[in-house]
Amino acid sequence: ALRKKELSDVHLMSLIDSTTTYLKKNNALKRNFEQWDKKALTSYDANIQDLKSYLNRRAKWMDAEINKF
């Protein structure tokens, strides 16, 4: 039931997008990178894409594993 609502792929991606927008609007990214990532090798947007890809792969794996029960 959760994968059809709160943990659906669409809802998870929307949550990430809305959080990203909020953080960008409030200059949190700038402050974070100034404090911690002075030598960051990847951009924030690339990290967000990696997170989305990971969550999609993980959710598909979990769906397949749970369906075995």
Side-chain angles (χ1 to χ4, degrees):
L2 284 175
R3 284 287 290 142
K4 294 183 183 197
K5 294 181 182 178
E6 292 88 353
L7 295 178
S8 70
D9 293 340
V10 170
H11 187 263
L12 288 173
M13 297 306 114
S14 177
L15 180 62
I16 292 170
D17 289 339
S18 64
T19 303
T20 298
T21 299
Y22 174 81
L23 293 172
K24 285 181 176 181
K25 282 184 180 179
N26 290 288
N27 291 320
L29 302 180
K30 182 177 182 266
R31 292 190 311 273
N32 180 71
F33 279 99
E34 286 173 355
Q35 181 67 32
W36 301 109
D37 296 325
K38 296 181 190 324
K39 297 179 184 176
L41 299 177
T42 59
S43 71
Y44 180 78
D45 292 329
N47 288 329
I48 294 300
Q49 275 309 119
D50 289 345
L51 174 64
K52 287 180 172 182
S53 295
Y54 169 78
L55 284 177
N56 279 321
R57 287 191 315 272
R58 183 68 175 173
K60 286 179 185 175
W61 177 84
M62 289 173 66
D63 290 342
E65 292 302 310
I66 289 172
N67 288 331
K68 291 179 182 178
F69 292 106

